[in-house]
Amino acid sequence: MIRNIVGSVLALAGATAAVWSPFRAWYDGRPGRDYRVQDLFGGITDVRAEVIGSILLPYAFAVLVTVVGVVLRSRLAVALAGLIVLGFTVLWMVRVAQVQNGLSLDSQGRGLGDGVAMAVGGGVLLLVGAAVMSGRRPSYRARHAGRVDSVPPATGTRYDENPPPPPPSPPSDYRPPQP
């Protein structure tokens, strides 16, 4: 139970970081909410996105998957949410690197911003949360399926409908082997 609580807290913290990251600077001071989802598949452009059509959309979906995974105690759903966050972040990084001829980070605040770090950190926290969670326990029926709780009845009892035949007797001319 403690593992599920700790894993759920880590997963929810990761989901919060992931959904907050588009509101921070991603590259050269441009917030993540300005990148369109279409840009991830067709190439980064200077066109600004509406908030609902921005990179926030896949992260909001990942938060929804995380919440469902935490409520159902599903490690798979939480891990899937982490992969969604990391996948879209890496896809964004690849697309920006194609346009900018590489990614940079310098001391003047140009290059990768803290929004990317929050997205990567959120995705990693989601994966760690999924790894820490113990998940759902199988139902009582599944845990006890095929379990033998008692000793089989002795032969000749009223519960034994077909008693086994008696062992065959040795032949009358049988002699034990001589050493």
Side-chain angles (χ1 to χ4, degrees), residues 49-108:
E50 297 291 326
V51 174
I52 193 67
S54 71
I55 199 169
L56 175 66
L57 186 64
Y59 295 150
F61 178 72
V63 168
L64 178 68
V65 172
T66 301
V67 170
V68 168
V70 166
V71 168
L72 297 178
R73 292 181 294 176
S74 172
R75 296 174 68 185
L76 183 63
V78 174
L80 176 66
L83 292 176
I84 290 171
V85 169
L86 287 175
F88 275 96
T89 304
V90 168
L91 181 60
W92 175 85
M93 291 172 80
V94 167
R95 291 301 184 181
V96 169
Q98 289 174 343
V99 171
Q100 300 290 333
N101 294 324
L103 296 175
S104 66
L105 180 64
D106 61 17
S107 61
Q108 283 80 29

Side-chain angles (χ1 to χ4, degrees), residues 15-154:
T16 303
V19 82
W20 187 20
S21 69
F23 296 99
R24 309 291 298 167
W26 275 53
Y27 198 78
D28 284 341
R30 184 177 176 187
R33 68 179 180 269
D34 286 348
Y35 293 99
R36 300 182 313 165
V37 174
Q38 297 90 343
D39 290 350
L40 299 177
F41 302 104
I44 301 292
T45 63
D46 290 334
V47 177
R48 293 185 67 158
E50 297 291 326
V51 174
I52 193 67
S54 71
I55 199 169
L56 175 66
L57 186 64
Y59 295 150
F61 178 72
V63 168
L64 178 68
V65 172
T66 301
V67 170
V68 168
V70 166
V71 168
L72 297 178
R73 292 181 294 176
S74 172
R75 296 174 68 185
L76 183 63
V78 174
L80 176 66
L83 292 176
I84 290 171
V85 169
L86 287 175
F88 275 96
T89 304
V90 168
L91 181 60
W92 175 85
M93 291 172 80
V94 167
R95 291 301 184 181
V96 169
Q98 289 174 343
V99 171
Q100 300 290 333
N101 294 324
L103 296 175
S104 66
L105 180 64
D106 61 17
S107 61
Q108 283 80 29
R110 297 184 49 90
L112 291 174
D114 58 345
V116 177
M118 287 179 68
V120 170
V124 169
L125 271 177
L126 283 164
L127 292 177
V128 169
V132 169
M133 288 175 69
S134 62
R136 295 183 73 158
R137 289 181 49 189
S139 68
Y140 178 82
R141 185 175 292 164
R143 281 188 309 226
H144 296 347
R147 183 174 169 185
V148 178
D149 286 334
S150 63
V151 178

